[in-house]
């Protein structure tokens, strides 16, 4: 599998939004039509789309499964979905609604045995969400910062046998300030699974920088919505580079 350039659709109250550093009070609304947004990214060549249910992450159960169903009807891209997936029912509901991959973050901290059972049943459909604020893992839609270090969580994911994880430096997310390449490189060094970079991607050179340290892909949000990165150009460049 080559380097994946993954556009993000963050859902809040049915709309596409971006939060600065995960702060629910610092929201930028980009579109009232998530389906049109998914079609836009698909038309540009996206093979994978990352969907975050922000309301679900905060509330502890997914809130946008109907939107996920609509997105599944609108695009042939691989859909990965996260936000509030903390029991069997929610994971099965997300998969039934059209998710090809699901992201678990909070549950990896609070219910590692359950995540292990998920991996046993669903294999590489399960992705670890490794979300960090100053080196500590954040949970519950990033509303809570735990005492668990990123390295501890990676070691737990290694033991469980997860095959892929997303690493987000929350302080970079939504800021267009560039990825935390040093932290990413350390995550990749410790992880026994593929790591996708997230947070702060602002220009094409950032994609090259995270690939150079071993990332399997990168999630792009804010930079696509502002137009700082053209998705078609990014996909082309990362294929031919």
């Amino acid at each position: 599998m080559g380097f994946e350039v993954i556009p993000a659709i963050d859902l809040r109250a049915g709309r596409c939004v971006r939060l600065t550093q995960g702060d629910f009070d610092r929201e930028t609304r980009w579109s009232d039509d998530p389906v049109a947004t998914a079609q836009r990214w698909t038309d540009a060549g996206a093979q994978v789309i990352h969907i975050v249910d922000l309301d679900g992450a905060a509330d502890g159960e997914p809130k946008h499964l109907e939107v996920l169903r609509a997105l599944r009807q609108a695009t042939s891209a691989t859909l990965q979905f996260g936000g509030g997936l903390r029991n069997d029912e929610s994971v099965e509901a997300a998969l039934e609604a059209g998710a090809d991959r699901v992201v678990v973050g909070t549950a990896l901290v609070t219910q590692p045995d359950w995540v292990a059972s998920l991996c046993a049943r669903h294999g590489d459909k399960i992705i670890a969400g490794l979300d960090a604020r100053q080196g500590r893992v954040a949970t519950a839609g990033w509303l809570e910062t735990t005492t668990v270090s990123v390295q501890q969580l990676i070691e737990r994911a290694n033991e469980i046998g997860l095959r892929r994880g997303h690493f987000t430096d929350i302080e970079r997310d939504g800021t267009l300030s560039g990825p935390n390449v040093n932290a990413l490189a350390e995550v990749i060094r410790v992880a026994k699974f593929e790591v996708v970079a997230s947070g702060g991607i602002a220009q094409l050179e950032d994609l090259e920088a995270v690939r150079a340290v071993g990332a399997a892909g990168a999630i792009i949000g804010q930079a696509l919505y502002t137009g700082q990165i053209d998705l078609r150009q990014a996909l082309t460049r990362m294929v031919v580079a």
Side-chain angles (χ1 to χ4, degrees):
M1 183 183 297
F3 186 90
E4 291 186 346
V5 177
I6 307 171
I9 294 178
D10 290 6
L11 298 170
R12 190 178 187 194
R15 303 181 179 96
C16 297
V17 305
R18 296 298 298 164
L19 305 182
T20 300
Q21 298 177 321
D23 188 340
F24 280 79
D25 293 327
R26 299 165 72 193
E27 174 190 294
T28 303
R29 185 184 302 171
W30 287 106
S31 172
D32 291 338
D33 192 341
V35 170
T37 302
Q39 290 172 329
R40 176 184 171 191
W41 301 148
T42 304
D43 290 345
Q47 298 296 305
V48 183
I49 298 175
H50 181 67
I51 304 158
V52 181
D53 184 341
L54 293 170
D55 297 306
D59 293 347
E61 60 180 14
K63 300 294 185 180
H64 285 95
L65 294 177
E66 289 305 317
V67 177
L68 176 58
R69 285 190 181 91
L71 295 174
R72 177 71 288 159
Q73 293 298 313
T75 177
S76 59
T78 295
L79 299 181
Q80 48 192 44
F81 180 86
L85 303 180
R86 296 170 201 167
N87 55 46
D88 286 335
E89 292 75 18
S90 62
V91 169
E92 295 301 334
L95 293 171
E96 184 275 331
D100 299 291
R101 306 168 179 168
V102 294
V103 183
V104 291
T106 298
L108 189 57
V109 176
T110 61
Q111 306 175 75
D113 291 343
W114 173 68
V115 174
S117 74
L118 275 185
C119 290
R121 295 198 303 276
H122 296 295
D124 58 8
K125 292 182 179 180
I126 309 301
I127 300 174
L130 309 167
D131 306 320
R133 183 180 284 117
Q134 296 184 347
R136 300 291 167 180
V137 175
T139 59
W142 301 351
L143 296 173
E144 301 174 12
T145 303
T146 71
T147 59
V148 178
S149 71
V150 176
Q151 180 160 338
Q152 287 173 316
L153 195 64
I154 294 169
E155 290 171 351
R156 180 176 295 175
N158 286 341
E159 292 171 4
I160 288 172
L162 280 151
R163 301 178 192 176
R164 172 170 282 222
H166 295 159
F167 171 66
T168 305
D169 183 325
I170 295 170
E171 291 178 303
R172 303 289 182 106
D173 199 61
T175 66
L176 298 174
S177 59
N180 187 338
V181 176
N182 290 337
L184 173 66
E186 180 61 16
V187 167
I188 291 168
R189 185 187 69 79
V190 177
K192 296 179 181 178
F193 47 85
E194 289 187 337
V195 177
V196 171
S198 177
I201 302 289
Q203 55 188 338
L204 295 176
E205 289 74 15
D206 292 334
L207 297 175
E208 294 172 346
V210 300
R211 184 168 68 174
V213 296
I219 295 170
I220 316 175
Q222 190 85 327
L224 291 179
Y225 291 92
T226 62
Q228 285 186 230
I229 291 179
D230 177 88
L231 181 57
R232 190 182 301 276
Q233 183 181 8
L235 288 162
T236 300
R237 180 156 171 176
M238 298 312 290
V239 168
V240 301

